[in-house]
Amino acid sequence: MEVGFLGLGIMGKAMSMNLLKNGFKVTVWNRTLSKCNELVEFGASIGETPAQVVKKCRLTIAMLSDPAAALSVVFDKDGVLEQIGSGKGYIDMSTVDPETSSKISQAITSTGGAFLEAPVSGSKQPAETGQLVILAAGDKGLYEESIPAFDVLGKKSFFLGQVGNGAKMKLVVNMIMGSMMNAFSEGLVLSERSGLNPHDLLDVLDLGAIANPMFRGKGPAMLKSNHSPAFPLKHQQKDMRLALALGDENAVSMPVAAAANESFKKARSMGLGDLDFSAVYEILKMTKD
Ligand SMILES: NC(=O)C1=CN([C@@H]2O[C@H](COP(=O)(O)OP(=O)(O)OC[C@H]3O[C@@H](n4cnc5c(N)ncnc54)[C@H](OP(=O)(O)O)[C@@H]3O)[C@@H](O)[C@H]2O)C=CC1
Ligand SMILES: O=CC(=O)O
């Protein structure tokens, strides 16, 4: 099966590599084209523009940073829209808001092309090992056609109905995750400041009802101030912002998420945006009497 892949950041590189290792022919494009070279060593072809990739491939996947990037790759010169049409499918796996996804869907479907949004839950390591959770919505036929690729990329795929539902589900999940990371960071700081050993806190948490892979996986590195990026903090803050907008639209009060967003914004303003989202711990640690 031949697929196009647009966007070779932390996630896109791991996902396209996985497709190559599992026998897919992959044509890649990235805004910074030099990032394609590593994939070529594993058998990928390069497309010079998004339009060239779509022209060559029946299915094209995108994994881009945010709504502005997702829109630019579709609507700008040499973009997806120039070559998409009947018989071709476009799958956007970036985390964006439902409005962005709907705008892209309308443009693609008006040409006769098929569109699926399919954001993912799971970070760098699940992307490398094909253990993502795929939250798809949109064209059911394209979803079914994409299952062989989704089976390589993920451990489970959900089809959630109309375009927008995948984006909403992803934003709800990441809103919860961002709030949890703040509560966890506050707990680590409180344990240290009150004279406890925070490593003991990690052990206690891991044996109780709120044990989870995020605390287990990130806790020890956080205590060493190691925030090597798996999920960049700037993307987590983008997701909090988009989730809060979804809350506004639906008149849902979310004071916990709003407070977490403020912490992520503060961390960004201090230059921590490219670190892992666990770096929010550093700004909570700085707060003194
Ligand atoms: N990392 C993670 O753990 C997870 C991330 N996600 C989501 O997946 C998406 C990608 O995340 P991740 O790989 O971590 O992000 P990265 O920041 O590592 O990569 C972002 C990608 O978007 C491209 N890009 C940015 N702006 C533009 C633009 N204006 N035009 C074209 N391309 C652009 C970048 O190109 P260039 O190389 O040229 O900068 C790069 O390929 C995000 O929506 C994120 O929220 C979802 C689940 C987990
Ligand atoms: O979006 C990030 C994730 O870990 O999922």
Side-chain angles (χ1 to χ4, degrees):
M1 193 170 179
E2 174 141 19
V3 296
F5 207 105
L6 311 178
L8 302 176
I10 292 172
M11 296 296 283
K13 178 182 159 190
M15 292 160 75
S16 49
M17 194 75 94
N18 231 343
L19 290 169
L20 284 165
K21 284 181 182 160
N22 282 280
F24 285 75
K25 286 186 180 163
V26 186
T27 299
V28 295
W29 172 86
N30 192 63
R31 178 179 62 174
T32 309
L33 261 186
S34 58
K35 288 194 192 168
C36 296
N37 296 337
E38 199 179 333
L39 276 293
V40 170
E41 285 172 32
F42 289 84
S45 310
I46 299 181
E48 296 283 323
T49 63
Q52 267 192 22
V53 174
V54 172
K55 185 175 182 188
K56 188 170 169 203
C57 304
R58 183 175 157 75
L59 287 186
T60 299
I61 296 173
M63 193 52 162
L64 301 156
S65 52
D66 55 18
L71 291 167
S72 161
V73 161
V74 171
F75 290 96
D76 286 359
K77 186 173 176 303
D78 297 324
V80 170
L81 264 192
E82 291 184 12
Q83 290 293 333
I84 199 86
S86 179
K88 289 188 184 280
Y90 186 62
I91 307 165
D92 193 347
M93 304 188 79
S94 323
T95 304
V96 297
D97 53 305
E99 290 73 27
T100 298
S101 215
S102 298
K103 201 170 171 191
I104 293 172
S105 174
Q106 277 162 19
I108 301 278
T109 52
S110 70
T111 68
F115 177 75
L116 196 66
E117 61 177 4
V120 300
S121 192
S123 194
K124 183 171 183 254
Q125 200 192 11
E128 286 167 349
T129 54
Q131 293 292 303
L132 297 169
V133 178
I134 296 170
L135 308 171
D139 188 300
K140 188 79 191 288
L142 179 55
Y143 173 72
E144 274 154 15
E145 195 183 334
S146 307
I147 283 175
F150 288 167
D151 283 349
V152 166
L153 299 172
K155 61 180 173 188
K156 170 87 181 164
S157 301
F158 290 85
F159 182 77
L160 299 169
Q162 65 183 18
V163 169
N165 288 351
K168 289 178 195 169
M169 182 66 83
K170 174 62 184 163
L171 293 178
V172 172
V173 171
N174 274 29
M175 183 269 281
I176 297 170
M177 186 170 79
S179 299
M180 280 172 65
M181 178 54 85
N182 271 270
F184 182 48
S185 297
E186 286 179 0
L188 291 176
V189 174
L190 180 60
S191 69
E192 276 176 302
R193 294 274 175 84
S194 62
L196 295 172
N197 180 342
H199 294 279
D200 289 342
L201 173 65
L202 294 183
D203 291 342
V204 172
L205 286 173
D206 202 35
L207 290 167
I210 58 168
N212 69 71
M214 184 174 88
F215 293 177
R216 192 178 308 128
K218 293 195 188 278
M222 287 168 70
L223 291 178
K224 290 185 197 142
S225 286
N226 174 356
H227 306 290
S228 165
F231 181 37
L233 187 142
K234 63 186 175 190
H235 294 331
Q236 172 67 82
Q237 196 270 315
K238 172 253 308 176
D239 295 351
M240 294 309 277
R241 171 170 57 82
L242 299 178
L244 286 166
L246 189 61
D248 287 352
E249 280 162 40
N250 291 281
V252 177
S253 171
M254 303 197 299
V256 175
N261 186 42
E262 289 304 317
S263 300
F264 287 122
K265 269 161 53 180
K266 187 166 176 195
R268 273 186 69 187
S269 77
M270 294 179 66
L272 307 182
D274 289 326
L275 296 180
D276 192 72
F277 76 121
S278 61
V280 74
Y281 168 66
E282 299 301 328
I283 63 132
L284 297 171
K285 220 165 57 170
M286 273 174 209
T287 318
K288 295 231 160 85
D289 292 345

